[in-house]
Amino acid sequence: MAIIIDGKELAKKIRQDLKVEVDKLREKKVYPKLAVIMVGEDKASQVYVRNKSKACNEIGIDFEEFLLPSNITMEKLLELIEELNNRKDISGILLQSPIPKPLNIREAFNKIDYRKDVDGFNPINVGKLAIGEKSFISCTPYGVVKMLEEYNINPEGKNVVIIGRSNIVGKPVGMLLLAENGTVITCHSKTKDIASVCREADILVAAVGIPKFITGDMVSDGVVVIDVGINRNEEGKLCGDVDFESVEPKASYITPVPGGVGPMTIAMLMKNCLTACKKQNNL
Ligand code: NAD
């Protein structure tokens, strides 16, 4: 029986600690504020933005939403980002992905001032992460390392296998765990015989986006499993990339979906927003 890594509970604890900090800032008349830009009407994005707004509310971080029509031009989107970069009352800027085609999300991320880039997607922050300098770490990877830390799982000297090489999850998780002295292998859609690579893992991070991609026969006894996936199964229910039923009995630790990495992502966004605010106010 594996120990279940309770992301929901841990995220709650982090939010409570952040609230104490925010209360102190507000007493000093410093008001952290998150600006969220959403383009178009993607249903999943609407849910994510609502959850972010709720978390801000609970902690005391001000929240301003910018809902743009899906036919907005790139020029207008960049203009808005520039305006938010310059606004003194905005601590952090988040552009909710995806944005409709033909808009270029990379160009938009590049435009966000790296000091307000609470999602950690600006190339300056990505570069800093790669060379081990302090930066805004994107929220999901940050949540993953925080969970390992809280459960005293030290990646040093461990075989870490990551499935997925996206810029928002797989790659930054790999850089973070490498910095913590893990021996990191990143698998992707062109990797041959993923199952045998996975069986070498002491720590396995699944960020593929395919329901039940990792099955019990692909893991070794005692593995620590972090399931980043958020998918819908045939019945429309939320599920991860890991087949929990067959993997959990072999694992030493495992994250559930929902209630694992998801809530941690939002908690780390709040943390980044607070860090940005404090830096901007020389605190
Ligand atoms: P993505 O589609 O950008 O990347 C998926 C990666 O998986 C790619 O690198 C691809 O090479 C790899 N891949 C695809 N098919 C494969 C296969 N058959 N074998 C091996 N590798 C394969 O996805 P993403 O944005 O990194 O997200 C991954 C999952 O994590 C999704 O389910 C997403 O919803 C979820 N996610 C969750 C959170 C959270 O807060 N928990 C945040 C971001 C993403």
Side-chain angles (χ1 to χ4, degrees), residues 40-277:
E41 290 177 357
D42 182 81
K43 288 275 173 280
S45 295
Q46 287 171 343
V47 175
Y48 295 141
V49 170
R50 205 177 317 130
N51 289 341
K52 286 165 189 172
S53 144
K54 259 169 64 183
C56 281
N57 247 320
E58 179 193 322
I59 293 170
I61 294 178
D62 294 334
F63 182 86
E64 193 170 340
E65 204 174 10
F66 296 85
L67 303 176
L68 306 180
S70 51
N71 62 353
I72 190 109
T73 61
M74 197 63 211
E75 199 186 356
K76 285 272 175 234
L77 175 60
L78 294 178
E79 258 175 47
L80 172 63
I81 295 174
E82 180 66 20
E83 183 194 318
L84 299 176
N85 282 343
N86 293 328
R87 265 177 60 177
K88 293 269 182 295
D89 64 321
I90 302 282
S91 330
I93 304 169
L94 183 145
L95 171 63
Q96 185 64 46
S97 73
I99 60 175
K101 283 184 179 139
L103 298 173
N104 181 339
I105 199 153
R106 187 27 65 202
E107 206 184 324
F109 286 148
N110 294 359
K111 182 79 177 173
I112 295 175
D113 187 322
Y114 76 97
R115 289 159 296 198
K116 295 190 176 186
D117 174 35
V118 286
D119 239 349
F121 294 156
N122 180 289
I124 295 180
N125 283 318
V126 178
K128 278 172 178 268
L129 174 64
I131 59 172
E133 275 187 16
K134 249 188 149 18
S135 62
F136 285 115
I137 301 168
S138 60
C139 308
T140 301
Y142 196 5
V144 169
V145 291
K146 199 78 193 160
M147 287 173 129
L148 293 175
E149 194 185 301
E150 280 292 322
Y151 280 78
N152 292 318
I153 300 161
N154 184 353
E156 183 163 318
K158 304 265 168 58
N159 287 342
V160 177
V161 174
I162 298 162
I163 322 290
R165 60 171 161 185
S166 72
N167 289 331
I168 65 166
V169 189
K171 277 185 206 161
V173 168
M175 286 195 277
L176 286 165
L177 296 180
L178 182 62
E180 292 193 13
N181 300 319
T183 302
V184 175
I185 298 177
T186 302
C187 299
H188 45 78
S189 52
K190 302 282 184 278
T191 302
K192 293 204 174 92
D193 194 4
I194 287 198
S196 68
V197 182
C198 289
R199 278 183 219 112
E200 296 299 314
D202 300 308
I203 299 175
L204 182 70
V205 181
V208 202
I210 302 175
K212 301 189 178 185
F213 184 83
I214 305 290
T215 48
D217 58 314
M218 294 170 74
V219 298
S220 293
D221 285 334
V223 65
V224 173
V225 180
I226 307 286
D227 189 354
V228 181
I230 300 183
N231 313 298
R232 297 262 169 204
N233 66 14
E234 313 82 48
E235 294 117 52
K237 270 179 66 182
L238 274 190
C239 70
D241 291 344
V242 174
D243 177 34
F244 193 89
E245 278 70 39
S246 64
V247 172
E248 184 271 336
K250 294 178 87 173
S252 55
Y253 292 83
I254 190 166
T255 63
V257 178
V261 178
M264 289 299 290
T265 297
I266 297 191
M268 302 330 281
L269 171 66
M270 301 295 112
K271 190 170 172 60
N272 278 347
C273 197
L274 194 57
T275 304
C277 174

Side-chain angles (χ1 to χ4, degrees), residues 22-32 277 281 283:
V22 172
D23 285 348
K24 284 187 191 143
L25 284 183
R26 294 187 79 93
E27 274 169 26
K28 290 187 204 156
K29 305 227 173 312
V30 174
Y31 304 107
C277 174
N281 287 279
L283 295 168

